[in-house]
Amino acid sequence: ASPGASRRRPPRHGEARRPGAMTDFGELVLLIGDFHTPTRAADIPAGFKELLNTDKISTVICTGNVGSTSVLERLREIPSKDCRIVAGETDLGMDLPETSVAHVGDFKLGVIHGHQIIPWGDPTALAKCAGRLGVDILVSGHTHRTHPNRVVEIGGKWLINPGSVTGACNALGEFDVVPSFMLMAIQGSAATLYTYEERDGETKVTMNELKRLP
């Protein structure tokens, strides 16, 4: 069952199972960012709104470029426990930090927008940033694209990019961006990562398993 299953449709054919209530799956963390609303995109896909209409998310990790104070307010209303939002290069005057660190289960999660990482999206540079922050998982954005295979592990650090939830064009002017976000269910030193993508009007989900590395 998915979060708030009574308000959700069953999974479509070929989809992985969805994370359930926190009592079954541990703590549920929303990884989201690069909205760019209203400048580059009007809103998130309707199917995503349905999935996020749940009271089971305990923590929000947002990679920034929210675009407006109304998006900030909506994000802060979602979690029951913690909300970490960092500044993207377009989030001017919003008084957001450059980086933030949260503790969920046995994991330390760090978040940075990603425009500070050169080259953009480079796994080695991101792993070094994770080391500086002292985190197990680094969540970043800016490229508007998820990593190959959704998650990358380098030197005991997990690197995750949830992409752009609206599918907005990125700083390179690329418009072929697939709207996406992630939910991560954490129990102790284990986590299940669910990547949601909107393709041809359908919401597709893939799953990855993560373990906290010694």
Side-chain angles (χ1 to χ4, degrees):
S2 65
S6 62
R7 301 197 297 272
R8 305 286 181 272
R9 62 163 177 80
R12 295 186 177 95
H13 177 70
E15 289 183 342
R17 61 190 173 89
R18 306 236 168 138
M22 284 186 287
T23 52
D24 298 326
F25 285 83
E27 292 197 60
L28 198 61
V29 181
L30 170 63
L31 311 178
I32 197 168
D34 285 306
F35 291 76
H36 289 283
T37 53
T39 54
R40 300 188 199 174
D43 206 349
I44 69 174
F48 287 3
K49 286 185 178 180
E50 180 186 357
L51 288 163
L52 295 174
N53 180 27
T54 176
D55 60 1
K56 293 180 171 59
I57 293 169
S58 68
T59 302
V60 168
I61 304 288
C62 176
T63 60
N65 276 349
V66 294
S68 67
T69 54
S70 62
V71 172
L72 278 179
E73 292 167 0
R74 278 162 45 198
L75 286 171
R76 287 167 175 159
E77 290 172 355
I78 292 174
S80 60
K81 179 179 174 184
D82 197 5
C83 185
R84 304 298 178 104
I85 306 171
V86 294
E89 82 279 10
T90 66
D91 291 325
L92 304 177
M94 292 192 180
D95 193 29
L96 297 171
E98 183 168 294
T99 62
S100 188
V101 175
H103 292 78
V104 184
D106 294 339
F107 290 92
K108 285 180 69 176
L109 281 71
V111 58
I112 187 171
H113 176 64
H115 64 288
Q116 310 94 325
I117 305 297
I118 304 299
W120 291 340
D122 179 71
T124 301
L126 288 166
K128 289 179 180 178
C129 178
R132 289 194 298 272
L133 293 176
V135 298
D136 307 298
I137 298 171
L138 180 67
V139 183
S140 65
H142 191 61
T143 64
H144 295 201
R145 301 183 188 279
T146 62
H147 290 300
N149 301 318
R150 314 301 181 226
V151 60
V152 174
E153 184 271 315
I154 294 183
K157 308 295 184 184
W158 294 104
L159 310 175
I160 298 174
N161 187 329
S164 167
V165 69
T166 59
C169 72
N170 62 20
L172 298 176
E174 296 171 337
F175 286 86
D176 60 334
V177 176
V178 176
S180 62
F181 74 95
M182 295 175 173
L183 288 172
M184 186 161 53
I186 296 178
Q187 279 189 320
S189 61
T192 305
L193 182 70
Y194 299 84
T195 302
Y196 295 85
E197 296 181 321
E198 184 81 3
R199 294 181 179 273
D200 301 319
E202 295 284 319
T203 301
K204 305 296 183 182
V205 59
T206 54
M207 184 177 69
N208 296 81
E209 301 286 349
L210 287 70
K211 291 279 188 182
R212 186 177 183 277
L213 302 175

